[in-house]
Amino acid sequence: MSTALPVVPLPREGGCADVPILKERGQREVFCGLTGIVWLHRRLQDAFFLVVGSRTCAHLIQSAAGVMIFAEPRFATAILDERDLAGLADANDELDRVVARLLERRPDIKTLFLVGSCPSEVIKLDLSRAAERLSAQFLPQVRVLNYSGSGIETTFTQGEDACLASLVPVMQPSPEPQLLVVGALPDIVEDQLARLLGQLGLPARIGFLPARRSDTLPAVGPGTRFLLAQPFLGDTARALEARGAQRIGAPFPIGVEGTTAWLQAAASAFGVRAEVVERVTASARERAAVALSRLRESLGGQRLFFFPDSQLEIPIARFLSRELGAELVAGGTPFPHRGLTADELALLPAGTRLSEGQHVEQQLDRCRADRPDITVCGLGLANPLEAEGLTTKWAIELVFTPIHGYEQAADLAELFARPLRRKALLAPKPARAAA
């Protein structure tokens, strides 16, 4: 017997849609946008990311990726040394030499991203002009683009937003009907979503940004409707709209409810009936519902506190609350975009305490006062909070793990159930009474 529930319309008002968000500005504790290279270089299979930065930038990326440089990954750092920073050498000439040497050694590169960093921005190195100059030199074999991964007033997922926004101007124009899914997803998740969208019978081509290879970069134009797969792509959305595309508002495809609503929004935008969505998704919803039922007992009633970190906090909080019965104590996010997350905010429990930005000391004080069952935070806060007896979940793990779609819903829930099991296993056992 099927356990999947029928598709029902989701509320579009209420919840936290109009709740004031506490804005905080103070001490920060996040990775910079360079971290996005760790998952982007795996996604864009013929691209290369050349960070123009310091040795600290190089150590950050290599450590985060867990890849030794002799393995020849698709990223590297052009290191700015003391001569560059002091203005004693022409950084542009040196950058040209590094790029020429790189492309000679790696003829498989089709798109080269020059990625700005804090040091390159401090010395006002104009990487946009450098990209134009190098593109003119190496096209049509290699296209050179640039974006900033600087950590000044950003968080790490904004690196992906800046990268995708840099691709939009080079997308070919097309008036043809198209559904464009925007956001870097693991290949397995993209394949699953592409299969479901294809089964809906949409009267339009289906494309993904970013594409896996540069020669399959989708076109864009007035006939393009796009769905965001990630909540942190504000700059990319604006760039697509400037090219004539229209955004389809929807919750994000996280959890059964979010994925169904996301697919329903795509179907509705192209005139496909809701019954088709229900029929196409029935088996996947049933599998996910069964898998989640095993975790609901562990997570139901657990109190969650989200520190602002990845910008995934709002849709994940919605999933844990509505589908697993968790209680949201606080939902912090670095930069909430009300226009992109309106559908998600409407689904959060009324009265949820929301905050934007970071003031680490004040947020730590609130967390210690609330004593939540699970604290979602960055690596730098996790160990100190664990030492204080709080159970933590690393926020960055939510970015590196496939969590979108039906098949990954239980995997996402498991990420939160695991630290609770670990705490139970490590808890002191009561002493046995003497015989």
Side-chain angles (χ1 to χ4, degrees):
M1 181 179 294
S2 174
T3 60
L5 298 175
V7 175
V8 295
L10 296 178
R12 287 294 179 263
E13 57 185 20
C16 293
D18 300 315
V19 172
I21 297 178
L22 173 65
K23 296 187 177 182
E24 298 188 293
R25 296 292 182 269
Q27 184 181 358
R28 300 160 58 81
E29 192 271 323
V30 291
F31 288 115
C32 69
L34 297 180
T35 316
I37 294 171
V38 175
W39 63 86
L40 287 169
H41 90 280
R42 295 171 180 155
R43 168 66 188 169
L44 285 74
Q45 297 173 2
D46 58 359
F48 194 97
F49 295 82
L50 182 63
V51 177
V52 183
S54 65
R55 296 185 187 279
T56 302
C57 303
H59 292 318
L60 166 67
I61 301 170
Q62 187 171 331
S63 299
V67 177
M68 296 303 292
I69 206 66
F70 56 73
E72 294 198 340
R74 291 191 297 276
F75 62 84
T77 304
I79 294 175
L80 295 167
D81 59 22
E82 290 79 2
R83 286 170 50 81
D84 299 305
L85 297 174
L88 300 177
D90 189 326
N92 281 290
D93 288 346
E94 294 197 18
L95 179 60
D96 289 359
R97 284 196 293 272
V98 168
V99 169
R101 205 159 56 238
L102 169 66
L103 297 180
E104 180 182 3
R105 181 176 178 179
R106 301 288 294 271
D108 56 313
I109 298 172
K110 302 303 178 187
T111 301
L112 174 64
F113 291 97
L114 302 180
V115 187
S117 64
C118 298
S120 66
E121 293 186 2
V122 166
I123 67 171
K124 302 294 189 291
L125 181 58
D126 192 341
L127 292 181
S128 62
R129 293 186 63 181
E132 292 176 5
R133 180 179 68 249
L134 291 165
S135 263
Q137 179 179 349
F138 292 105
L139 276 173
Q141 287 78 19
V142 182
R143 175 184 287 116
V144 183
L145 303 174
N146 87 286
Y147 71 90
S148 174
S150 167
I152 302 174
E153 293 299 314
T154 64
T155 191
F156 67 97
T157 48
Q158 287 178 273
E160 177 181 331
D161 188 20
C163 176
L164 301 195
S166 74
L167 286 167
V168 175
V170 301
M171 296 168 69
Q172 293 297 315
S174 172
E176 297 300 317
Q178 177 186 210
L179 173 66
L180 186 62
V181 177
V182 184
L185 297 168
D187 290 350
I188 186 171
V189 175
E190 180 184 304
D191 291 342
Q192 291 166 2
L193 295 178
R195 183 169 61 252
L196 288 168
L197 290 167
Q199 291 171 353
L200 293 179
L202 304 179
R205 181 187 299 114
I206 300 170
F208 286 82
L209 179 69
R212 297 182 190 183
R213 300 189 62 82
S214 58
D215 56 2
T216 60
L217 185 68
V220 65
T224 301
R225 309 291 297 274
F226 68 94
L227 266 174
L228 296 179
Q230 306 283 17
F232 44 76
L233 300 176
D235 289 348
T236 305
R238 284 188 288 272
L240 288 168
E241 289 168 346
R243 295 287 306 270
Q246 300 176 57
R247 184 177 68 86
I248 302 171
F252 295 93
I254 291 176
V256 177
E257 185 180 50
T259 304
T260 304
W262 189 82
L263 292 167
Q264 180 66 71
S268 178
F270 288 94
V272 176
R273 298 190 310 277
E275 309 87 80
V276 177
V277 178
E278 183 165 356
R279 173 176 52 79
V280 166
T281 62
S283 61
R285 287 185 291 119
E286 179 179 351
R287 289 193 302 272
V290 171
L292 287 175
S293 66
R294 304 188 186 106
L295 294 159
R296 198 168 289 115
E297 182 177 351
S298 300
L299 293 170
Q302 300 293 330
R303 301 169 65 250
L304 272 69
F305 188 109
F306 283 86
F307 276 85
D309 196 89
S310 67
Q311 301 190 86
L312 287 166
E313 291 85 6
I314 291 175
I316 291 177
R318 179 264 305 159
F319 162 69
L320 293 169
S321 170
R322 291 174 63 91
E323 298 192 45
L324 292 160
E327 178 186 343
L328 301 181
V329 175
T333 191
F335 303 101
H337 191 305
R338 280 194 181 270
L340 303 185
T341 60
D343 295 274
E344 292 284 359
L345 290 169
L347 298 174
L348 290 180
T352 301
R353 190 173 73 218
L354 301 175
S355 65
E356 168 190 348
Q358 284 207 322
H359 193 304
V360 173
E361 294 302 327
Q362 292 181 5
Q363 289 159 354
L364 281 170
D365 289 343
R366 292 199 298 270
C367 181
R368 288 166 177 145
D370 290 331
R371 302 299 297 180
D373 297 303
I374 304 177
T375 303
V376 186
C377 60
L379 297 173
L381 297 179
N383 284 346
L385 289 175
E386 288 277 351
E388 296 179 21
L390 292 172
T391 301
T392 64
K393 162 51 55 186
W394 293 349
I396 199 167
E397 191 176 0
L398 303 172
V399 177
F400 291 130
T401 305
I403 62 171
H404 296 73
Y406 294 118
E407 310 300 336
Q408 284 67 234
D411 295 337
L412 174 57
E414 177 66 28
L415 291 177
F416 290 87
R418 197 175 298 149
L420 294 174
R421 285 201 299 271
R422 181 188 69 229
K423 182 177 183 179
L425 289 171
L426 295 176
K429 301 293 189 295
R432 290 184 178 181

